Amino acid sequence: MSYEIKTGKEQAAPILWTGDFYNEGTGSGDIFDTLKEECGVFGVFGHPEAASMSYYGLHALQHRGEESAGICVANGRDFNYHRGMGLVKEVFDKDKIASLVGDMSIGHVRYSTSGDSRLTNAQPLVFKYRDGDLAIATNGNIVNEPLIRKQLEQGGSIFQTTSDTEVLAHLIARSQKDFVEATKDALQQLVGGFAFLLMTNDKLIVASDPHGLRPLVMGQLGEAYVFASESCALEVIGAKLVRDIEPGELLVLDKDGLREDRFAEPKRKALCAMEYIYFARPDSDLNGSNLHSARKRMGSRMALEAFVDADIVTGVPDSSISAAIGFAEQTGIPYELGLIKNKYTGRTFIQPSQELREQGVKMKLSAVRRVVEGQRVVMIDDSIVRGTTSRRIVNLLREAGALEVHVRITSPPFKNPCFYGIDTPDRRELIASYKSIQEMCEEINADSLAFLSPEGLIQSIGGYNSDDYKGGLCLSCFDNDYPTQVDFGGEEKDGCSC
Amino acid sequence: MSYEIKTGKEQAAPILWTGDFYNEGTGSGDIFDTLKEECGVFGVFGHPEAASMSYYGLHALQHRGEESAGICVANGRDFNYHRGMGLVKEVFDKDKIASLVGDMSIGHVRYSTSGDSRLTNAQPLVFKYRDGDLAIATNGNIVNEPLIRKQLEQGGSIFQTTSDTEVLAHLIARSQKDFVEATKDALQQLVGGFAFLLMTNDKLIVASDPHGLRPLVMGQLGEAYVFASESCALEVIGAKLVRDIEPGELLVLDKDGLREDRFAEPKRKALCAMEYIYFARPDSDLNGSNLHSARKRMGSRMALEAFVDADIVTGVPDSSISAAIGFAEQTGIPYELGLIKNKYTGRTFIQPSQELREQGVKMKLSAVRRVVEGQRVVMIDDSIVRGTTSRRIVNLLREAGALEVHVRITSPPFKNPCFYGIDTPDRRELIASYKSIQEMCEEINADSLAFLSPEGLIQSIGGYNSDDYKGGLCLSCFDNDYPTQVDFGGEEKDGCSC
Amino acid sequence: MSYEIKTGKEQAAPILWTGDFYNEGTGSGDIFDTLKEECGVFGVFGHPEAASMSYYGLHALQHRGEESAGICVANGRDFNYHRGMGLVKEVFDKDKIASLVGDMSIGHVRYSTSGDSRLTNAQPLVFKYRDGDLAIATNGNIVNEPLIRKQLEQGGSIFQTTSDTEVLAHLIARSQKDFVEATKDALQQLVGGFAFLLMTNDKLIVASDPHGLRPLVMGQLGEAYVFASESCALEVIGAKLVRDIEPGELLVLDKDGLREDRFAEPKRKALCAMEYIYFARPDSDLNGSNLHSARKRMGSRMALEAFVDADIVTGVPDSSISAAIGFAEQTGIPYELGLIKNKYTGRTFIQPSQELREQGVKMKLSAVRRVVEGQRVVMIDDSIVRGTTSRRIVNLLREAGALEVHVRITSPPFKNPCFYGIDTPDRRELIASYKSIQEMCEEINADSLAFLSPEGLIQSIGGYNSDDYKGGLCLSCFDNDYPTQVDFGGEEKDGCSC
Amino acid sequence: MSYEIKTGKEQAAPILWTGDFYNEGTGSGDIFDTLKEECGVFGVFGHPEAASMSYYGLHALQHRGEESAGICVANGRDFNYHRGMGLVKEVFDKDKIASLVGDMSIGHVRYSTSGDSRLTNAQPLVFKYRDGDLAIATNGNIVNEPLIRKQLEQGGSIFQTTSDTEVLAHLIARSQKDFVEATKDALQQLVGGFAFLLMTNDKLIVASDPHGLRPLVMGQLGEAYVFASESCALEVIGAKLVRDIEPGELLVLDKDGLREDRFAEPKRKALCAMEYIYFARPDSDLNGSNLHSARKRMGSRMALEAFVDADIVTGVPDSSISAAIGFAEQTGIPYELGLIKNKYTGRTFIQPSQELREQGVKMKLSAVRRVVEGQRVVMIDDSIVRGTTSRRIVNLLREAGALEVHVRITSPPFKNPCFYGIDTPDRRELIASYKSIQEMCEEINADSLAFLSPEGLIQSIGGYNSDDYKGGLCLSCFDNDYPTQVDFGGEEKDGCSC
């Protein structure tokens, strides 16, 4: 049986291979860094301690980017900002936060890639232009950025970063209109998935792409407005979640308060499904769904679509714990701690050499021998990217004495690159794009492998009007149905360049 | 109904108040640092990469002490060692590990207290004495250390640290016997709970107090022997768990291999129950019980002893997640992520000011509004120390909209200080020592409060021959029944001074 | 007698007040940071270890800027660069230097100001533009930069730094010509004093303003060419000094070797006299004069112009030691170590509070009591800026027991701001601009004060054809005779913004 | 002519070879680290800001030890102390100094050796013993320390450091007498050269060995007493130099004020001559002589003993600048800056590889080509240790074009190891111990070489009653006449182990 993704209103067919050598595996981005986080933004309007609020807010968004952090505050006269490489708590100390005086601010945490982790790319980017100071923080990716950049260069523009944000600044600066109109014009030229925070000395602008591909929420804290990539960052400062920013929406906050506007008509709502599956924090709500609960439902649904009899259920930490508990609740198979992640690893940790790994030295993840020994194990994971990581985890379980390892992935097979802010490998490296489920199952050394169906995923996430096309989600990495144009004659860009 | 701890073979009476205003709360050591970790030790004999093995082993024991770390290696001629303040990954880098050449080593991680966190106290302590080099690493506390120290000072000894370890070194150095006999003599003078690793240029000695109060396990890695406070440190380097060190046992490892000896007759086995309840890592095994599984059983048992109808069960992370899952499995009430801990906090994190906290800025822990709002919540925690932390967590849940908060503590009321290595507040600060369960319930603002009975605890832990007195556990912090003499006329010491 | 600066071919009149209460004082830039260093540049073409050479070269130029350092290397395909805050040795380590592979490079050290010491201003600045990569390092100041910047902003340009360098990049990018011609066009629009190094993937351009205001020398190291702000940076890597770059000259280095060109006709040669007086290292040669020797001659000349009988001569370290030795040689009064500077101070040094200073705690500079006690002291210094520092030093000598303190300044009174790269205070703060020499003498509490005459300065520096107007020097800070237009209708800028 | 050191009252014979190929070379400790600094101590009694005073005082003594620094303060109840690796300004920050509250303190800076630069050796060492707290800071070396240490170990003592200080603490602790008497007893057992500061909660003890081998001065700052290795540390905090501590003297400071006592009869006064020649700061006074002035006299005397006609005189920085100026004043040959030291080098500086050095990359020291080219140069240095450094410096001058290089060393040939606190190489590595002056001259590639005679040295230093044997100096490194017993049957120790 060859695998085929069913979408739309058709009946869900569990993506399951039950032949000789069963089925599928997992990526576990947070363990082996296969999928990269894609930045977080945080904005404050009208709070006297905007920098402190940003510090705690960005800290709550830290999982979205561990490479660099920055905060820029405005006080009506000028900007003060600080950016640095590292975690929020490493980049800022009390003195630095105290020096950032102002009641309006935008902040950013940035993910890490090997090639381009320069401080110059740390956001918010800050510019001087005709009308004064301008700061921008972004999450997402502009697909046609290379084309626009080329045009700007032809027109004599210079670039100091590789960030999409700089392109936006150029477009605004070159417009002859006022700041708000110039920003609208500029945004209309962009194709992609993005959430932008822009700040001048007296205005804060908040915008989301016409498909709402990247998450962005608004909260209130007393009289102040707060904006964040995820609601967990509101909760941590005691702010109340008001609503999600709409596709194509553009909010302007200034001395006249909040003005709701838009730079584009909303198109098909298509929030990134991977936010639900893997990226967002379990205590965040997106479009009315709590993430932990949604993941539990994915696990439950998985149990219905591809039940397997076993002794214990375990999840690959941290992202698949919720789903594993859901699978256990649905099946009655006890949830156990079969895998454990060492929470103390990080940049400065000495990774074991290949030789030591072969001698048995574990990396960030260990199997718990007494729990899995002699057991038939259901291992829940969120995705399989290249397959190598899944194979390693399955083998960890086997070496710890698991009799059987049944892998259940709470998403459909990952076959297509993301153009909207997630840093994915080349399509040729995506195992699901060139192997059948059976082949993948063999490759990762599992006893069986199954993926959640797209329908299962959509229904688990819920929170959307069921009339929305594909539940209001972008499933392009699974089904190749991109909400925007993604081919610009070779001048397009995938991944993330915020 | 006044609370009364039942022990021995009597029938378990659930420690539950169900009056008007119900019952009890929790300490959550890992969240608010009320109970301090108490050091971890790691030893290697006969492995050419002893320092690397120690690095990974100590890293797995990091939860037992985040303040300082150290490794001393021997190569038959001299010692090389390095100690520093901070996490294992901060204290050591590749060059430092590479410089520690030798096939025998002892290492240590130390917990943090405010008063005495000096580098001079970082272990292993290294001494020169008549017979050459001596290094010692300890976990535990010697109750009569002040008395011995005073005697040594009267005899002209000087002390450079406040560590028990230095006392042991003096006793050994002052003996006229050979190293092994001198060590036995010295250990016999000590009263308390301790696990010691001692190393000379050609010998490694491993010893546990006569009650086996502190955990200490032996593993094998090929021809090499490995010793650790917890089995998780064996697993991470691929070593096989052989057995727990026995009460009063003393192992000698040298060119003649491993010799099993003892310095004292074993007394009542009394392994620290708090290791099961809170300290040890869930993937460790102690005396044949996996910690995660034991905690799940505590949660299950709790459900039987003090069931309460509710909509969701949540655990205070990280230590009470396992128990909460057990409670949920037993009751069918779904386990949900009602509380979440921010994994990025740490030394350099700027703690919110009291003023900011009052404005709603959360610390390390947040309640997940969408999960708890409008729900009746069972909150599982491991212990209540002063009660202030429990009150804060209950209030977090209420502020997030919980209708009811029923607190279930997976241990009996904590009423007595520890003399064997856990840094507890003064008895007068232990809320259970001066308040009834009803009063505590009110104090922490819960709808009901219950504690696990001692019998429930003992049976949940299991792993011991049921004939062992109190299941082979030390329950003195609950029942005031200390396995050793603890009163030395004012010259005794509680807490931890490794 | 009122003070009057004599210039040109007139007879030198020593600038000396010998009334009741004598005369003048000093600034001592290196001690109390009144005058700021003004950046150093270093370039390499055709050396396989360009980054290493740059490291040592920039290190030799460290006195020109302690705030930030950076190196960008080219290898024919792309750029690799690293910049950071701090000293060269702090910004770079072995790994970083090793990662900068290429045979062409430009580097920079930047001085420190309080207001704008951001990493974003650290050079070399690196840009992408139509034709590829572009890196620029600058020393100096463009007087009409604000005007050009304004025009560029009107044309839609954005700026990320406050550096002049960014303006140059914009001008080049907006030109339709090829790189070399575009650079020439751009440079022609600039008014000021500057030394520029520009690098693309295949070309290095070296340029000096039409007056040659800032120093820039060329050296050879085997087949490689090396460029530096001062010759000491050539010496340290074993390169041979070839010559100084000429006013208006533009050198192009590429696969065809070195091509000598110019972007402007040379105008009146006007090398900054303060380089000789204070900034440049004593072991550097500028225009054929060794700096130490020139300073000795200034001291000698000073002795002739304003002799005073005394017991000892001392110099304010480090910059005035050479002059003090010259004064001593000329007069026979012994040179003694009356003042000493603590070489270990630096950024992290805790400056004594005002209260401690009043209690006698010395800063970086101390008087040596046994040397000065009971002595009549000639104190040689290079300049007086605000007068406060001179007063402090004179008082240090008096407190140490000096009977008399005669201050001799080896430059004319400093009366006018610099527009060409030296960060001077506002004219109103320059004590010489509003006080007579007699008043200054009183203000700094000296027994007598004299300044070197402009003629004396010119003749001491020597090294120029005597036919050159004002010895080929810019003396504008003394005589208000600026070589370029400095008034652009309020859109001009003084100081330094490299 | 074979070289022979003349001592005592005999007529000075200049140590000069003037044969065909002349003579001798130099050590230049501060440039190439051949001779090691030997620690500095600083004590305060009765000042409310004892820690701040110590910070500035130790900073002024930084040249005596760059490896580690520490301060311990007493406040009548307990000690507070902080020690760390690095410079004073690196080890301490404002918060640390502010936390060291007390009006009595002792501090220490420690020199750097490769082998044993452990933090555990950082001073002050702090002990607990029978009578309470004890802190000790030392400069010097105890020759019979190994013997005492062995006896103590036989008696059951343990040692945690390799410092002499720990031996002293043991001896005091083992005495049955009160603290002051116990200290006296202990000091009487020590043979060597040492300056000790000891502190309890209510007493400060200051002591110097019976020959006064190491410098130690007393000052007053208002009502407070201050003690330091050199007077420059008094000057910097505004304290007045009172006097040098006498040989065998022991001062006790407590609530009854200052009591002058002694633990031993004074023996032949023998202050280390190398302090005058090289170690001490030029602005310090020792025994009434200012160091800069003494060094100038050495240069003058050298000119008389071994004049050579030349064009310029230059000194090896920093230690020989003063002597070079003296030589120039005496001879009329101008002093020029022929050699320059880069002040920015330090621990983190990347030393050029051998290959780069051969290509001409200079280390810390450069010759100034324009100054020395075509000149006959007199190069003044303080000592020759192995000869390799002298050869390098001579060659630097030759490569820069010097026609002749005449080396003049302002001390006699260095032939014998130091037992009193200076870290010297093995005797077999001391070039003067196995080569004639002619051979040394050839070895270092000089045109002529001369050493200052012992008489010349003694008379230059002056400041002592001429009746004192050898001018009250220890010249043992030159003449093998050690003031104390230095042979303890193989149980002695040379160098420095403070």
Side-chain angles (χ1 to χ4, degrees), chain B residues 85-389:
Chain B
M85 303 302 287
L87 301 178
V88 173
K89 69 179 176 184
E90 294 166 347
V91 170
F92 294 97
D93 57 23
K94 276 194 176 181
D95 290 347
K96 290 212 177 81
I97 290 295
S99 72
L100 300 177
V101 178
D103 60 1
M104 180 162 63
S105 71
I106 65 175
H108 193 265
V109 287
R110 191 167 176 271
Y111 82 120
S112 172
T113 59
S114 54
D116 205 15
S117 66
R118 294 192 174 282
L119 184 49
T120 40
N121 282 327
Q123 297 196 21
L125 290 184
V126 177
F127 309 94
K128 292 264 183 192
Y129 79 119
R130 187 183 47 235
D131 292 348
D133 293 312
L134 173 63
I136 311 183
T138 319
N139 170 212
N141 184 54
I142 300 172
V143 186
N144 63 339
E145 188 263 355
L147 200 61
I148 300 176
R149 185 179 277 249
K150 198 173 189 178
Q151 289 163 354
L152 285 165
E153 284 182 355
Q154 293 303 330
S157 288
I158 58 175
F159 287 85
Q160 294 187 47
T161 75
T162 57
S163 166
D164 287 359
T165 304
E166 197 173 359
V167 167
L168 178 59
H170 275 289
L171 292 176
I172 293 170
R174 288 188 168 235
S175 166
Q176 297 302 316
K177 301 185 182 170
D178 74 17
F179 173 59
V180 173
E181 290 307 311
T183 302
K184 285 186 187 175
D185 281 3
L187 291 173
Q188 282 160 16
Q189 299 178 53
L190 309 181
V191 175
F194 48 78
F196 276 118
L197 300 181
L198 299 96
M199 185 172 73
T200 64
N201 283 312
D202 56 9
K203 278 191 172 54
L204 182 70
I205 286 187
V206 178
S208 179
D209 72 80
H211 297 279
L213 278 150
R214 299 259 60 94
L216 188 57
V217 299
M218 175 164 69
Q220 258 186 305
L221 178 61
E223 298 296 297
Y225 289 96
V226 190
F227 302 89
S229 292
E230 294 182 32
S231 67
C232 65
L234 305 182
E235 189 63 34
V236 82
I237 60 165
K240 194 171 143 265
L241 173 61
V242 176
R243 65 173 176 87
D244 292 42
I245 306 302
E246 294 292 308
E249 191 170 14
L250 179 143
L251 304 177
V252 181
L253 297 101
D254 58 17
K255 64 178 168 25
D256 301 326
L258 169 69
R259 180 156 56 88
E260 298 179 347
D261 195 355
R262 51 176 52 257
F263 67 90
E265 284 311 300
K267 301 190 183 163
R268 163 198 163 191
K269 171 74 181 173
L271 178 59
C272 172
M274 282 306 288
E275 292 281 352
Y276 285 98
I277 295 164
Y278 164 56
F279 285 123
R281 243 174 65 166
D283 56 326
S284 286
D285 298 336
L286 286 180
N287 276 298
S289 285
N290 168 257
L291 267 289
H292 162 72
S293 305
R295 285 173 191 158
K296 269 191 66 178
R297 290 193 297 268
M298 293 178 208
S300 277
R301 172 74 182 224
M302 187 84 249
L304 297 175
E305 292 192 5
F307 175 77
V308 57
D309 194 26
D311 302 307
I312 64 167
V313 177
T314 195
V316 178
D318 294 341
S319 56
S320 300
I321 301 296
S322 299
I325 292 170
F327 192 101
E329 281 189 12
Q330 181 68 35
T331 59
I333 303 172
Y335 168 82
E336 296 294 347
L337 191 77
L339 292 164
I340 190 161
K341 198 175 119 183
N342 193 321
K343 67 176 173 170
Y344 291 100
T345 50
R347 267 194 311 284
T348 59
F349 181 66
I350 307 173
Q351 295 300 330
S353 62
Q354 180 57 29
E355 192 191 341
L356 287 183
R357 276 206 301 270
E358 279 164 16
Q359 285 170 31
V361 173
K362 305 306 184 299
M363 291 163 306
K364 304 174 190 171
L365 194 72
S366 311
V368 184
R369 179 173 306 273
R370 183 157 303 256
V371 170
V372 303
E373 199 163 38
Q375 306 294 310
R376 294 170 300 156
V377 179
V378 177
M379 170 188 130
I380 308 290
D381 203 353
D382 46 63
S383 56
I384 296 181
V385 182
R386 290 185 179 84
T388 49
T389 296

Side-chain angles (χ1 to χ4, degrees), chain C residues 235, chain D residues 367-377 394-405:
Chain C
E235 189 64 34
Chain D
V368 183
R369 179 174 305 275
R370 184 159 299 258
V371 169
V372 303
E373 199 162 39
Q375 306 293 310
R376 295 169 301 159
V377 178
V394 171
N395 286 342
L396 279 178
L397 289 168
R398 292 201 186 279
E399 287 157 14
L403 293 183
E404 299 174 8
V405 181

Side-chain angles (χ1 to χ4, degrees), chain C residues 66 236 296 336 344 362, chain D residues 66 236 296 336 344 362:
Chain C
E66 303 188 355
V236 83
K296 268 191 68 177
E336 296 293 348
Y344 291 101
K362 304 305 183 301
Chain D
E66 302 188 355
V236 84
K296 268 191 69 178
E336 296 294 348
Y344 292 100
K362 304 306 182 301

Side-chain angles (χ1 to χ4, degrees), chain A residues 130 155 173-174 176, chain C residues 149-157 174:
Chain A
R130 188 183 46 235
R174 290 192 165 231
Q176 297 301 317
Chain C
R149 183 179 281 248
K150 199 173 186 178
Q151 289 163 351
L152 285 165
E153 285 181 356
Q154 294 303 331
S157 288
R174 290 191 166 230

Side-chain angles (χ1 to χ4, degrees), chain C residues 123-196:
Chain C
Q123 297 196 18
L125 289 185
V126 178
F127 310 94
K128 292 263 185 194
Y129 79 119
R130 186 184 47 233
D131 293 348
D133 294 312
L134 172 62
I136 311 183
T138 320
N139 169 212
N141 185 52
I142 300 172
V143 186
N144 64 339
E145 188 264 354
L147 200 62
I148 301 176
R149 183 179 281 248
K150 199 173 186 178
Q151 289 163 351
L152 285 165
E153 285 181 356
Q154 294 303 331
S157 288
I158 57 173
F159 288 85
Q160 295 187 48
T161 75
T162 58
S163 167
D164 287 358
T165 304
E166 197 173 1
V167 168
L168 179 60
H170 275 289
L171 292 177
I172 293 170
R174 290 191 166 230
S175 167
Q176 296 301 318
K177 302 186 182 169
D178 76 17
F179 173 57
V180 173
E181 291 307 310
T183 301
K184 285 185 189 177
D185 282 1
L187 292 172
Q188 284 160 13
Q189 300 178 53
L190 309 182
V191 174
F194 47 79
F196 275 118

Side-chain angles (χ1 to χ4, degrees), chain C residues 215 217 229-232 235 241 244 276 280-292, chain D residues 368-371:
Chain C
V217 299
S229 292
E230 294 181 34
S231 67
C232 64
E235 189 64 34
L241 173 60
D244 292 42
Y276 286 98
R281 245 173 65 164
D283 57 328
S284 286
D285 299 337
L286 286 181
N287 276 297
S289 285
N290 168 256
L291 268 290
H292 162 72
Chain D
V368 183
R369 179 174 305 275
R370 184 159 299 258
V371 169

